[in-house]
Amino acid sequence: MKHLFFVLVVAFLFNEASAQYPKLLVQFTDKGSNTKTISNPSAYLSPRALLRRTRQNISIDSSDLPLTQRYIDSLKAAGAVKILSQSKWLNQVLIQSTDAAALAKINNFSFVK
């Protein structure tokens, strides 16, 4: 019983310590000056994905384009920002930062919703 209590206390403290680093979603307004195009999906989609789309009659659209690398680089350059994940279909990234100046700078980027 004592061991279970100890584990729960440690888990609670670890969770509280990680709460100091908020995770924020950053949505982009568009795909920007992306080097990939809808007319050449094999440049960014796998052959398996293309075959599946053909079989299921799913067309390629702008949501399939990868995120604009310039946008991601700008987020990283804004300050102490860590990119945790990216979603090309939702056109957003999940970041982690406690740097208020970096977050304010990101909020003022023209390509951020």
Side-chain angles (χ1 to χ4, degrees):
M1 187 69 163
K2 289 181 183 179
H3 296 300
L4 177 62
F5 179 75
F6 178 75
V7 169
L8 289 174
V9 169
V10 169
F12 175 78
L13 292 174
F14 181 78
N15 188 38
E16 288 299 312
S18 67
Q20 296 175 359
Y21 301 102
K23 296 173 184 165
L24 305 163
L25 281 174
V26 177
Q27 292 184 320
F28 300 126
T29 57
D30 55 25
K31 293 289 185 159
S33 57
N34 205 318
T35 59
K36 311 292 189 220
T37 63
I38 295 172
S39 61
N40 186 17
S42 61
Y44 51 89
L45 291 176
S46 70
R48 184 176 174 198
L50 292 171
L51 180 62
R52 182 177 57 249
R53 287 168 168 272
T54 301
R55 275 189 307 213
Q56 296 179 6
N57 199 24
I58 300 171
S59 62
I60 306 294
D61 63 20
S62 63
S63 67
D64 294 308
L65 292 170
L67 296 173
T68 303
Q69 190 59 44
R70 182 177 57 87
Y71 291 175
I72 295 169
D73 293 342
S74 296
L75 295 179
K76 291 177 183 177
V81 174
K82 180 179 180 182
I83 306 288
L84 299 175
S85 68
Q86 303 177 19
S87 173
K88 68 180 179 180
W89 291 287
L90 297 175
N91 201 27
Q92 67 187 19
V93 295
L94 178 66
I95 64 169
Q96 187 174 39
S97 180
T98 57
D99 185 349
L103 296 176
K105 190 174 186 179
I106 289 169
N107 194 42
N108 288 324
F109 287 151
S110 62
F111 54 85
V112 171
K113 276 188 183 177

